[in-house]
Amino acid sequence: MPILKITGLEKKYATGDLALRGVDLSIDAGEIVAIIGPSGAGKSSLIRCVNRLVEPTAGSIEIDGIDVVSLSGSQLREQRSRIGMIFQSFALVDRLSVMENVLCGALSRTGFWASWFRKFAEGDVDRALTLLEKVGLSDHVNKRADALSGGQRQRVGIARALLQKPLLLLADEPTASLDPKTSKEVMTILRELVTEEGLTTIVNLHDVPLAKACATRIVGLSAGKVVFDGPPSELTEAVWETIYGEPEMAG
Amino acid sequence: MATRTWQRPSKGWWDRPAGRWAIGITIVVYLVIALQAIDINFARIARGWARLFEVGVGTQTEVVGQKIGEILRGLGESLAMAVIATPLGILLAIPIGFGAAHNVSTKWVYYICRSITVLSRGFHEIVIAILLVKMVGFGPLAGVLTLAIATVGFYGKLFAEAIEESDGSVREAVQASGAGWLQQMVFGIIPQVKPRMIGLGLYRLDINVRESTVIGVVGAGGIGATLETTFDRYEYVASAVILALIIGLVFALEAGAGWIRRRYL
């Protein structure tokens, strides 16, 4: 059974923009899927529909057999806690420490007053420290998040998402705000960690070579529709043209 | 090749030269008419300068000695009123501010909370003080309530605006982790607006201290009543002493606020 099953997904924004025009996508456990496509193809809308940061207009999204489109209130929060998300702009809480940012990933299973007084469960604290070690930020645990560099900030974002112990990880252009070298480093760490945890991952990338290097499967999105779905090796010149509407730059 | 020209496209009649001139001329004409309505008497102003300096060089210096206890008590009461009313008002204003910020609130809660802040700002402190003196009687209790109510409108509105200007993606990230609404506020919003919260609180304390020296005039406690009495009896030296002490108090507060700002912001 697939871990994520999207059927006939449509999204029309209040502005009238039709971002998704009937997307069908089925993802199995452990896959690392890169979604590529030009700006405005609907990549962001697609993954934001999965955790309902964006409300779908039509279609169904099933995660582990549960239809998330109809959920609300505490059921929606519970479902969201099972989906980790990494953001393009990092979306860290600047004035909080690195550790506090990572522990945000445990908020859903921590009571309000416990989180207010920063009394997180021992297991969560321990896992947070382990994750910070793995992303190479052990020396920055108590620094303020805004004191870190871009690459370090995204690594905090990765640790925060993984602390949720998610079933599914979504990454929305995780490297778009980073330079090429740092992008590669961040994607390498991300890939190592999700492989280690056997985590199903969907990552939006505009950098196609990076997508080919990191993903086990590529989905090409163009004008709100899936126009390619296959392993990185099948992403040929002709396919490139269907996705981007023009041939790959020579050289 | 001919030199190309460019003009910023106009947004409407007010944005075209004729429209601009019309608006400018209207404002000037209105100002001229308004100035005449005020009926400024320059001779009176000239004489008034001399009178201003009578305050402080009056002859009834012995009154200061007689009244110094009352003056210090009144000033202390004013300060206490402001110090109690400011946190009380802010405490009430914080939930109202969240409700009045459209990005974290729902439609109805938004309208209700906005209305509360507008109502609170609709009347001047003096008017609220008169009503509250009627309600709870003369004394500092009426003053504290007056200042707290005024603080709710001021702080609630500006706090809500700070929330609306905060970075939505941070809250979104906390929301995406499955956190509840209160946790989203505490982790996704408050850290972003905390410097504004502290800054606005200090500024409101400053305003409340000033207001607390005036609302005594209508019987709501503080130094105001004493100040008014000295004016009425032409005890100008005592008036000057009170004014100097108020200025001293405001200066001290400003220094304290500056210290807190440097330390925490």
Side-chain angles (χ1 to χ4, degrees):
Chain A
M1 196 176 81
I3 214 159
L4 174 69
K5 194 170 187 318
I6 295 173
T7 323
L9 187 65
E10 279 178 28
K11 173 61 193 178
K12 187 177 185 177
Y13 285 99
T15 53
D17 295 322
L18 202 56
L20 299 172
R21 317 164 180 250
V23 171
D24 298 301
L25 192 61
S26 181
I27 293 173
D28 289 324
E31 281 193 287
I32 301 174
V33 180
I35 299 178
I36 60 170
S39 300
K43 304 190 294 289
S44 238
S45 298
L46 176 58
I47 72 165
R48 278 163 181 266
C49 278
V50 173
N51 63 357
R52 294 267 303 280
L53 287 180
V54 166
E55 291 296 333
T57 318
S60 82
I61 301 168
E62 274 178 40
I63 297 174
D64 208 20
I66 300 169
D67 181 15
V68 297
V69 177
S70 59
L71 297 180
S72 64
S74 63
Q75 284 177 315
L76 176 60
R77 285 202 298 276
E78 195 189 321
Q79 195 54 49
R80 278 178 174 155
S81 75
R82 304 163 75 199
I83 308 168
M85 183 147 179
I86 298 168
F87 295 79
Q88 172 179 346
S89 57
F90 320 129
L92 300 184
V93 191
D94 277 343
R95 302 177 62 84
L96 294 185
S97 69
V98 167
M99 185 64 172
E100 285 170 308
N101 268 285
V102 176
L103 285 169
C104 278
L107 284 177
S108 65
R109 50 180 180 266
T110 308
F112 174 73
W113 289 111
S115 64
W116 177 277
F117 291 111
R118 308 294 191 265
K119 297 260 181 264
F120 288 89
E122 257 175 57
D124 286 329
V125 171
D126 188 62
R127 185 170 153 82
L129 291 169
T130 308
L131 284 166
L132 282 172
E133 238 165 71
K134 284 183 177 170
V135 297
L137 291 176
S138 286
D139 296 336
H140 306 281
V141 173
N142 290 318
K143 271 192 196 159
R144 251 171 66 155
D146 54 7
L148 303 186
S149 70
Q152 290 173 323
R153 285 161 72 76
Q154 193 56 294
R155 284 186 269 163
V156 176
I158 293 170
R160 173 175 67 185
L162 292 181
L163 185 68
Q164 284 175 239
K165 296 182 198 153
L167 197 66
L168 179 67
L169 183 68
L170 308 172
D172 191 6
E173 295 281 5
T175 61
S177 313
L178 303 172
D179 64 76
K181 181 168 168 282
T182 316
S183 293
K184 229 172 251 167
E185 284 168 12
V186 164
M187 280 310 290
T188 307
I189 290 176
L190 182 64
R191 201 196 139 104
E192 270 170 21
L193 286 175
V194 299
T195 310
E196 190 184 311
E197 309 219 350
L199 189 53
T200 315
T201 305
I202 305 175
V203 50
N204 284 345
L205 283 172
H206 68 260
D207 183 341
V208 181
L210 198 60
K212 279 170 110 169
C214 297
T216 58
R217 176 177 162 193
I218 305 263
V219 170
L221 212 58
S222 179
K225 281 191 157 167
V226 175
V227 294
F228 171 76
D229 188 350
S233 56
E234 281 176 23
L235 188 62
T236 58
E237 191 82 10
V239 173
W240 181 291
E241 217 171 315
T242 34
I243 300 173
Y244 289 95
E246 57 184 78
E248 186 176 358
M249 234 187 334
Chain B
M1 200 172 91
T3 312
R4 287 175 295 181
T5 60
W6 177 84
Q7 255 185 330
R8 190 168 60 89
S10 92
K11 299 187 186 85
W13 65 267
W14 66 88
D15 202 26
R16 284 191 276 275
R20 289 177 182 219
W21 276 105
I23 292 170
I25 290 167
T26 309
I27 291 171
V28 171
V29 167
Y30 175 79
L31 281 179
V32 170
I33 295 171
L35 274 173
Q36 275 161 356
I38 292 171
D39 186 22
I40 301 168
N41 183 339
F42 287 101
R44 180 70 180 77
I45 292 174
R47 268 182 284 132
W49 269 111
R51 287 194 178 200
L52 180 62
F53 291 108
E54 282 173 21
V55 179
V57 293
T59 49
Q60 294 163 294
T61 40
E62 71 283 358
V63 178
V64 178
Q66 291 161 11
K67 287 203 166 174
I68 192 70
E70 187 191 333
I71 291 171
L72 290 177
R73 252 197 319 280
L75 208 63
E77 195 172 87
S78 273
L79 183 65
M81 275 158 51
V83 168
I84 294 167
T86 307
L88 181 68
I90 291 175
L91 229 54
L92 293 169
I94 285 175
I96 291 169
F98 277 115
H102 70 73
N103 55 341
V104 299
S105 185
T106 59
K107 202 173 146 195
W108 284 108
V109 176
Y110 171 79
Y111 284 124
I112 291 167
C113 291
R114 275 278 140 148
S115 307
I116 294 172
T117 64
V118 170
L119 267 179
S120 145
R121 281 178 294 120
F123 297 107
H124 190 270
E125 281 85 341
I126 293 285
V127 179
I128 302 174
I130 292 170
L131 293 173
L132 280 166
V133 167
K134 280 268 178 235
M135 238 177 90
V136 301
F138 289 105
L141 177 61
V144 167
L145 293 177
T146 299
L147 296 176
I149 289 171
T151 302
V152 169
F154 172 92
Y155 199 91
K157 178 189 161 72
L158 294 173
F159 180 48
E161 278 169 11
I163 294 171
E164 286 171 351
E165 286 159 15
S166 68
D167 178 1
S169 74
V170 178
R171 186 235 176 163
E172 210 172 40
V174 180
Q175 185 179 24
S177 79
W181 186 86
L182 274 177
Q183 287 177 326
Q184 290 170 31
M185 297 305 109
V186 169
F187 286 84
I189 301 282
I190 289 181
Q192 291 191 64
V193 297
K194 205 171 172 186
R196 278 297 294 283
M197 291 176 80
I198 295 170
L200 284 174
L202 291 172
Y203 181 37
R204 186 63 218 188
L205 179 67
D206 191 272
I207 296 173
N208 280 348
V209 166
R210 254 179 298 130
E211 294 293 344
S212 74
T213 61
V214 172
I215 54 179
V217 173
V218 295
I223 189 75
T226 315
L227 181 62
E228 201 202 8
T229 310
T230 60
F231 275 133
D232 288 347
R233 294 187 188 163
Y234 303 103
E235 295 162 354
Y236 286 144
V237 179
S239 310
V241 167
I242 294 172
L243 292 178
L245 285 171
I246 290 174
I247 291 169
L249 187 61
V250 172
F251 261 102
L253 270 171
E254 181 66 29
W259 182 80
I260 291 175
R261 244 182 234 118
R262 273 192 304 280
R263 188 133 162 46
Y264 293 103
L265 303 191

